[in-house]
Amino acid sequence: MGINREHWPKRIIDSHLHIYDDAFPLIENQGHIPKPFYIDDYNRLVTGMPIEGGVIVSGSFQGFEQRYLKAALGNLGDNYVGVTQLPGSVSDEKIQQLNEHRIRGVRVNLKRGVHRDIEGIVEFGRRIWDLAGWHLEIYVDSRELDDMVPTLLKLPKLSVDHLGMAKSGLSQVRRLAEGGVNIKASGFGRTEVNITEAIKTLYKTNPDCLMFGTDLPGTRSNRGFEPSDIDTIVEALDDPDAADKVFYQNAKEFYKLP
């Protein structure tokens, strides 16, 4: 049974959400196309949560489509930024243009994408950092990280989705956290990780690394976000100041939100 909402953090930045607006193209991925999920749907599901900003993340269904992201960010306002998907061949001018629309990073799918040129990914990550101060975000099964960790730590700024997905890969995610990588406490319905253990371990490893996200609408996960997910994190941290870092401060700093 979850704790009383009076013990929830007083402010939240949702560092990981998706918007699937079928006014813009959606691409079939492994035989699946998501149901539409609009801004109004998102706002309805987070009613009662003290959300003060967030991060819209491009999914595999959206390819290199930017129009939906520009439209969503325009509607949600200045406290929301975007993480998009781009080919390595994207021009400097395109990156700088997207930066004006509050896009702040590029997501790389190492799980379904599927990219395997890690050195090339690092080179791209350095390029977008030098051009616009952007970071790379990786969606990966952490069991595959063994050989990647030393190379990924060369990136100037990096985040990892959903606690790294795999329970047996937590030690690799911890190594990344030690190196200054940010880890999203999100997607609890799609991860095998022991959430309480992971939150405690990663916060102890690096108090600045964890960032909460709803992962709404939770497409292709075993379950979507539930309010009890907040309870789980709060109980694991057992410290209001630590909760404020994980639910608000770390993401505010990472994404340079106003």
Side-chain angles (χ1 to χ4, degrees):
M1 183 176 179
I3 63 175
N4 191 298
R5 290 193 181 211
E6 292 180 0
H7 295 94
W8 275 16
K10 304 302 181 187
R11 51 188 186 171
I12 292 175
I13 290 171
D14 184 353
S15 73
H16 198 100
L17 65 110
H18 302 282
I19 299 295
Y20 297 123
D21 186 338
D22 59 358
F24 304 97
L26 292 170
I27 303 167
E28 182 179 302
N29 183 273
Q30 296 182 341
H32 185 81
I33 295 179
K35 295 178 180 178
F37 185 74
Y38 305 110
I39 291 172
D40 286 348
D41 297 321
Y42 173 76
N43 287 334
R44 175 175 52 82
L45 290 176
V46 299
T47 298
M49 293 172 57
I51 291 181
E52 297 188 5
V55 184
I56 304 174
V57 179
S58 285
S60 56
F61 310 104
Q62 290 160 316
F64 301 137
E65 172 65 46
Q66 309 298 332
R67 288 173 296 168
Y68 95 91
L69 190 50
K70 292 178 183 177
L73 291 171
N75 287 328
L76 281 167
D78 291 348
N79 286 344
Y80 287 79
V81 298
V83 173
T84 193
Q85 298 178 122
L86 291 170
S89 60
V90 64
S91 69
D92 292 356
E93 291 76 16
K94 181 70 170 179
I95 292 170
Q96 290 162 343
Q97 177 197 52
L98 291 173
N99 191 59
E100 296 299 315
H101 289 273
R102 300 198 312 280
I103 293 172
R104 295 293 179 259
V106 176
R107 192 186 200 203
V108 176
N109 192 331
L110 297 179
K111 183 174 173 63
R112 293 196 182 102
V114 171
H115 299 274
R116 284 291 177 263
D117 178 12
I118 301 303
E119 292 289 350
I121 289 170
V122 169
E123 182 180 349
F124 184 51
R126 286 173 168 162
R127 178 176 165 228
I128 62 175
W129 170 259
D130 290 341
L131 279 170
W134 284 9
H135 70 288
L136 275 187
E137 175 173 318
I138 60 171
Y139 177 42
V140 65
D141 184 325
S142 54
R143 289 171 294 194
E144 301 177 4
L145 281 173
D146 275 331
D147 298 331
M148 299 183 198
V149 169
T151 305
L152 291 173
L153 286 174
K154 297 176 184 177
L155 283 161
K157 191 172 184 180
L158 174 68
S159 68
V160 175
D161 290 345
H162 313 322
L163 297 170
M165 306 287 291
K167 182 177 181 179
S168 59
L170 181 58
S171 62
Q172 307 304 339
V173 175
R174 184 178 56 78
R175 286 173 59 198
L176 290 173
E178 284 177 339
V181 174
N182 281 57
I183 314 296
K184 291 190 177 181
S186 59
F188 292 179
R190 66 175 82 248
T191 180
E192 302 170 0
V193 176
N194 180 309
I195 305 301
T196 297
E197 176 190 354
I199 295 297
K200 288 181 175 180
T201 297
L202 293 171
Y203 189 83
K204 183 178 180 180
T205 299
N206 177 359
D208 298 326
C209 79
L210 285 168
M211 305 185 297
F212 165 77
T214 62
D215 188 39
L216 282 168
T219 302
R220 289 196 290 198
S221 62
N222 292 328
R223 67 165 177 85
F225 167 76
E226 297 175 355
S228 60
D229 295 338
I230 295 178
D231 298 339
T232 298
I233 297 174
V234 171
E235 289 172 337
L237 295 168
D238 194 28
D239 178 351
D241 291 336
D244 190 57
K245 286 182 70 65
V246 172
F247 283 94
Y248 183 82
Q249 292 181 39
N250 291 345
K252 185 178 188 299
E253 174 62 26
F254 188 82
Y255 291 103
K256 306 300 181 187
L257 291 168

